[in-house]
Amino acid sequence: MTTNNVIFYKGTFTKSNGSNRTMYFVRTKDLPNTFIESNTANSGRTRTLSEGMETVWDLENQSWRTFNWTTANGNVETFTGSTEILNNFSTSNVE
């Protein structure tokens, strides 16, 4: 049995309200197409985001969120893990 891997990230950014948010996430470009298809509403509309903003899959909240690269604090860490983390993520497996 072959296990597929996915690249995921840990980054902290400053939200519009001034608070910091640390998020474990997968960039859309790193997600399997089947995952995207099964986790998006087929509304047919495209989101328009401000420069530096990116729609990502939040591993801890199991939903789409926006990561603000413009206000990122420090380095964004990169990890590789099994695609199983897309539906069953725990920070204890990372640190």
Side-chain angles (χ1 to χ4, degrees):
M1 180 176 154
T2 304
T3 302
N4 294 323
N5 288 328
V6 65
I7 298 170
F8 66 101
Y9 305 85
K10 177 185 178 186
T12 301
F13 66 95
T14 304
K15 294 170 39 171
S16 59
N17 68 5
S19 66
N20 286 332
R21 168 122 197 274
T22 298
M23 183 189 318
Y24 288 90
F25 61 93
V26 180
R27 298 175 83 173
T28 306
K29 69 180 184 74
D30 296 320
L31 286 166
N33 286 335
T34 54
F35 183 84
I36 295 171
E37 291 166 5
S38 65
N39 286 281
T40 55
N42 294 316
S43 67
R45 76 176 188 170
T46 303
R47 288 183 71 195
T48 303
L49 298 172
S50 301
E51 187 174 337
M53 305 289 248
E54 180 180 6
T55 300
V56 298
W57 183 254
D58 182 330
L59 291 168
E60 292 179 285
N61 290 306
Q62 297 292 291
S63 61
W64 298 105
R65 295 289 192 265
T66 302
F67 188 85
N68 188 342
W69 291 96
T70 305
T71 63
N73 302 323
N75 294 325
V76 175
E77 298 177 71
T78 304
F79 304 91
T80 301
S82 164
T83 54
E84 293 176 13
I85 67 166
L86 297 174
N87 296 308
N88 188 22
F89 180 77
S90 170
T91 58
S92 62
N93 297 332
V94 178
E95 303 180 284

